[in-house]
Amino acid sequence: MSLKSPIIEEVKYDVDAIKTLKDNLKDDLGKQELLLEYPTDYVIYSKQDKEAKAYEVYVGETNNIGRRTLQHLNEDSKNREDWNELSKKSNVKMIVIGHEHFNKSLTLDIENRLMLYLGSVNAVKKLDNRRTNSQNKYYTSDEMNPLFSKVWRKLRQKNNELFPVERVIRDSAIFKASPFHSLTKEQDISRELIFEKVQKVIKEHKTGQLIFVEGEAGSGKTVLLSSLFYLLSTETINNKHLNNYLLVNHDQQLKVYKQIATRLDLDSEVKDIVSKPTHFINTHKSSDPVDVVLVDEAHLLWTQGKQSYRGNNQLEDILKLAKVTIIIFDRHQMLTTEEYWENSQIDNLRKKAIQQENFIQLHNQMRMDASPATLHWIHDFVFSKKISMIPQDDRGYDLRVMKSPQELELAIKKHANEQESIKNGLSRVLATFDWEYVDKKSPDEKSLGKNKYWNVKVGKWKMPWNLQLNQTKTEKRKNRELSWAEQPQTINEVGSTYTIQGFDLNYSGVVIGPSVKYRNGKVIFDPDASYNKKAVRNRTLSDGSKAKVGEELLPNELNVLLTRGVNGLYIYAVDPELQEKLLQSQVERDDL
């Protein structure tokens, strides 16, 4: 039997809100009873500016909407600044959501999903709730997803600015890094274990403690970290709020975390709560350590000095400035010599964390909706350097070798333009860094002809590298807070590891350049064919010797690119022998 439509009523948020609600439903006492006497969810919102798309939103759930509304207006307005501000505004509205199947667990789950969605809406500038309520199994948990979709579609009828289509939300980088995702059992156990360890360290007044979380691309590290960040920023230990910071050495990911912190009001009391590691190191003292530092993409921390960083190892410096440092690490995502960790250094860190029972490993693949066989095929291609038959994917993952870059581009644009299916949408062309690109500098006409952009070029086909296409002032303003892949014009650009690392795409098309070849039955990586200078230049090792580590770093570059697509991956290889072998492996599959 299909689920009935939810009951959704919108009223002005004031002392007469419940009376208005009753009046609106006086001709349908059944609906009135469901909203006033049964569990409900509610959304209270105000528009910050009549012209701009800028909303302040509060999401909640209650067993008694009448009592909760009066509590917010009378008690909370005296004790909390956010409710005090709302009570003084004249343009505040309240939406009450009910359904005949609502129970406590289901309304908590709907509330959490509303936080997940609204926190990913660009028009929402501030979102409040103060808790995460994702539920595990309960009697009506199987109704959650279809019922929420019905709720969201009805909310869109009330306000399509505040409640845009689901696909747009799910394509956003903020959605994918939100702290309100339902955690897997593995993530949930890890989060609780880490929180308990933080509590113990803070209560025992320790310092310099390291919690090491390891997992490969797509294992759910970012969602775990984001959930931890929100939990640690909203809970109290020893009756005080913790002094927490989140650091990441990645410009695109930094934008996302800053937006999350601002929308959830996590940055109101702690200055620069989200920043790059160098800024944090330069603005804090070891004599006054902060409570917790969370480091996403810790494999991107610098392990040598740079012009802006005078130290020798950013992690060592951070450990001196915090009571607890939580790092998310994947050795297969180190991309440059300045981030390079020798295997012995990584092993020593892991051993220390294991000895202190501070080591956590994530095993589940969360990003790619692919079978284990497909994941193994990609891993073997990159790290075992062998190409076997492309497997038939029993989950429907679309892994294909394209006959030309033109075919690859057209396939990606087709997926990007298809709006109906939730599996389509955000899709982009990516490439190994095997074509010249100089940031903030135009191509030299003498060497590159009259090219306006730095291009990825294969024969007569070409596309500009990322972050180059011109934008109007209005477009720049709209795109300022968006990651590279979310900006509309980037469908006509090619992304590199430096713009796409840490992000998901629905479909990715990867042009594998001449630095990846196939010779004598084996994949080889050729640093001489790469323009990724940060990966192929000399690196000074711990013993003082200099070494080329490009053959270690270039497989990581390819690994990052091949693991971005949630629903599909299209490949084209420039090297003729590699392309032939890849096509052969596809023919073998298709002939089965």
Side-chain angles (χ1 to χ4, degrees), residues 230-260:
Y230 185 73
L231 177 66
L232 291 167
S233 299
T234 52
E235 292 288 332
T236 59
I237 298 177
N238 289 349
N239 295 317
K240 79 177 189 73
H241 284 286
L242 298 183
N243 192 18
N244 304 313
Y245 293 83
L246 192 156
L247 312 178
V248 62
N249 238 352
H250 189 292
D251 289 338
Q252 302 296 315
Q253 198 71 20
L254 189 69
K255 286 182 182 181
V256 174
Y257 285 130
K258 282 190 171 184
Q259 287 183 78
I260 290 173

Side-chain angles (χ1 to χ4, degrees), residues 430 437 439 454 456 463-469 484 490 493-500:
L430 312 172
Y437 175 73
D439 189 26
W454 302 100
V456 174
M463 283 182 77
W465 269 124
N466 41 218
L467 304 173
Q468 292 188 92
L469 292 182
W484 170 78
T490 63
E493 292 184 334
V494 180
S496 71
T497 50
Y498 298 114
T499 46
I500 204 62

Side-chain angles (χ1 to χ4, degrees), residues 358-369:
N358 284 346
F359 179 74
I360 291 170
Q361 190 159 30
L362 300 177
H363 299 91
N364 296 335
Q365 168 56 237
M366 301 292 295
R367 176 183 294 123
M368 298 171 67
D369 190 13

